[in-house]
Amino acid sequence: ISSTNKSFGNRGMSLEQDLNETNIYYQSTGQCVIHKKPTPVQIVNVDYPKRSAAKITEAYFKQPSTTDYNGIYRGKYIDFEAKETRNKTSFPFNNIHVHQAEHMKAVMKHEGIAFLIIRFSKHNQTYLYDASHFSWWYFEQSDRKSIPKDDIERDGHLIPEGYAPRLDYLSTIDKIYF
Amino acid sequence: ISSTNKSFGNRGMSLEQDLNETNIYYQSTGQCVIHKKPTPVQIVNVDYPKRSAAKITEAYFKQPSTTDYNGIYRGKYIDFEAKETRNKTSFPFNNIHVHQAEHMKAVMKHEGIAFLIIRFSKHNQTYLYDASHFSWWYFEQSDRKSIPKDDIERDGHLIPEGYAPRLDYLSTIDKIYF
Ligand SMILES: [Mg+2]
Ligand SMILES: [Mg+2]
């Protein structure tokens, strides 16, 4: 199976880099206000050297309790988690923590727009996959710990790639949610 | 002038602690999904010791480009910055960076609800102050670098304090924005 989604900006770029460049582009055009949240870090020790910046000398990565990205678009709250997989036939969701899955459920309950952006890096395809579908796999069945790619193709939406924006996920949001 | 807002939970608690406890309470009752964003940190060096957690050994605090808190309430995007001052007669805004002020303006433009939560710690009063008023002081005048407390009392709204939630800012949002 060859990629159906010719990549321009994606030569070796990670999904996160693509999304960050996309969000900078969107911000510059004033289309939305969506940012990646900082990586949660537990700070244990900080040095305050004279005449220079405070230096964190001991800290640890913390489990994120929410998703990677959130913000506002067309008056609606937007919230998503971005994940890439090198798996060719399914998306394993064992590295999505229960707090993150519950967070997406809560966002839907409050009438926000919640989804995953899933990249199959071997196929060079990136899908927007609504959190309602994901919630079913995560919470409603216990047979598998991964979502078949076929299901993501059927229920998800391929995000168009280009130069600027690299990953035009707002056009996909327009199509699905408005 | 004595405090008009008898404090229960606020014996030595910082505004951030009060807000975090408030948000945990709100989450437990399912009223909203609002979280503090992690502190932005530039990670320079990480050690990966055998059989124990990755340890960040060199990192620096980064300037935040957005506000402290965001999320969703009653279908609306909520975004705010929280600040305390020990100043008795005005709120100095020199420690709010231009990116943060611009971020709040952009949120308003996209029809989100943006405000500051300002605590006058000497008075033990905490106000919700809409970003439109703040923007005027920040961008439209250049005479002062602080907002007189009188103006915040007039244009802002005193947030009720209690045991749970400590700072019932959703009741204030209900009153102003819905
Ligand atoms: Mg991610
Ligand atoms: Mg703050």
Side-chain angles (χ1 to χ4, degrees), chain B residues 17-159:
Chain B
Q17 286 172 304
D18 282 348
L19 285 169
N20 290 348
E21 298 227 5
T22 297
N23 289 336
I24 288 167
Y25 173 83
Y26 284 152
Q27 207 178 341
S28 74
T29 57
Q31 287 175 90
C32 67
V33 181
I34 294 174
H35 289 273
K36 186 174 190 302
K37 288 174 217 163
T39 304
V41 153
Q42 177 74 49
I43 297 165
V44 175
N45 200 54
V46 184
D47 274 5
Y48 298 93
K50 278 183 195 157
R51 283 181 291 279
S52 61
K55 180 181 175 182
I56 299 161
T57 57
E58 185 180 358
Y60 300 91
F61 295 102
K62 278 200 296 190
Q63 210 80 283
S65 52
T66 65
T67 48
D68 285 341
Y69 296 85
N70 74 356
I72 186 168
Y73 176 56
R74 293 176 68 175
K76 296 283 273 178
Y77 177 76
I78 307 289
D79 195 298
F80 62 96
E81 178 66 28
K83 289 280 180 210
E84 357 194 11
T85 181
R86 296 171 68 81
N87 202 303
K88 285 181 186 166
T89 56
S90 71
F91 168 67
F93 53 77
N94 47 308
N95 61 346
I96 295 182
H97 307 293
V98 66
H99 281 121
Q100 296 181 299
E102 279 168 352
H103 173 77
M104 287 186 267
K105 249 175 119 164
V107 168
M108 289 189 286
K109 203 193 115 209
H110 287 276
E111 293 166 56
I113 293 173
F115 53 85
L116 284 89
I117 291 184
I118 299 168
R119 173 172 288 172
F120 289 94
S121 50
K122 295 291 189 186
H123 298 285
N124 211 9
Q125 293 173 331
T126 308
Y127 290 89
L128 190 156
Y129 188 65
D130 188 71
S132 60
H133 297 297
F134 174 74
S135 271
W136 186 84
W137 287 100
Y138 199 91
F139 292 113
E140 306 300 325
Q141 60 84 39
S142 53
D143 293 339
R144 6 189 338 153
K145 291 285 175 208
S146 69
I147 306 172
K149 185 167 187 286
D150 287 348
D151 287 72
I152 292 171
E153 284 173 9
R154 190 191 60 227
D155 298 327
H157 301 263
L158 199 59
I159 299 174

Side-chain angles (χ1 to χ4, degrees), chain A residues 85 87-93 118 120 123 125 127 129 133-134 136-138 141 143-156:
Chain A
T85 180
N87 202 303
K88 285 181 184 165
T89 57
S90 70
F91 169 67
F93 53 77
I118 298 168
F120 289 94
H123 298 285
Q125 294 173 330
Y127 290 90
Y129 189 64
H133 297 296
F134 174 75
W136 185 84
W137 287 100
Y138 199 91
Q141 60 84 40
D143 293 339
R144 8 189 335 153
K145 291 286 176 207
S146 68
I147 306 172
K149 184 166 186 286
D150 287 348
D151 287 72
I152 292 171
E153 284 173 9
R154 189 190 60 229
D155 299 327

Side-chain angles (χ1 to χ4, degrees), chain A:
Chain A
I1 302 163
S2 75
S3 171
T4 56
N5 197 14
K6 192 95 180 67
S7 171
F8 294 83
N10 194 25
R11 298 183 188 95
M13 291 292 275
S14 74
L15 177 57
E16 183 176 323
Q17 284 172 304
D18 282 347
L19 285 169
N20 290 348
E21 298 227 7
T22 298
N23 289 336
I24 288 166
Y25 173 83
Y26 284 153
Q27 206 179 341
S28 74
T29 57
Q31 286 175 90
C32 67
V33 181
I34 294 174
H35 289 273
K36 186 175 190 301
K37 288 174 216 163
T39 303
V41 154
Q42 178 74 48
I43 297 165
V44 175
N45 200 55
V46 184
D47 273 4
Y48 297 92
K50 280 183 195 156
R51 284 181 292 276
S52 62
K55 180 181 175 180
I56 299 161
T57 57
E58 186 181 358
Y60 299 91
F61 295 102
K62 278 199 297 188
Q63 209 82 282
S65 51
T66 66
T67 48
D68 286 342
Y69 295 85
N70 73 357
I72 186 168
Y73 175 56
R74 292 176 67 175
K76 296 284 273 178
Y77 176 76
I78 307 290
D79 195 298
F80 62 96
E81 179 65 27
K83 290 279 181 211
E84 353 194 15
T85 180
R86 296 170 68 81
N87 202 303
K88 285 181 184 165
T89 57
S90 70
F91 169 67
F93 53 77
N94 48 307
N95 61 346
I96 295 181
H97 306 292
V98 64
H99 282 120
Q100 296 181 299
E102 279 168 351
H103 173 77
M104 286 186 268
K105 248 176 121 165
V107 167
M108 290 189 286
K109 203 193 116 209
H110 287 276
E111 292 167 54
I113 293 173
F115 53 85
L116 283 89
I117 291 184
I118 298 168
R119 172 172 288 172
F120 289 94
S121 50
K122 295 291 190 186
H123 298 285
N124 212 9
Q125 294 173 330
T126 308
Y127 290 90
L128 190 155
Y129 189 64
D130 188 71
S132 60
H133 297 296
F134 174 75
S135 271
W136 185 84
W137 287 100
Y138 199 91
F139 293 112
E140 307 299 325
Q141 60 84 40
S142 53
D143 293 339
R144 8 189 335 153
K145 291 286 176 207
S146 68
I147 306 172
K149 184 166 186 286
D150 287 348
D151 287 72
I152 292 171
E153 284 173 9
R154 189 190 60 229
D155 299 327
H157 301 263
L158 199 57
I159 299 174
E161 296 193 28
Y163 178 68
R166 278 176 199 259
L167 271 179
D168 193 9
Y169 68 84
L170 290 186
S171 71
T172 309
I173 291 178
D174 284 341
K175 229 166 47 181
I176 309 173
Y177 299 104
F178 287 96

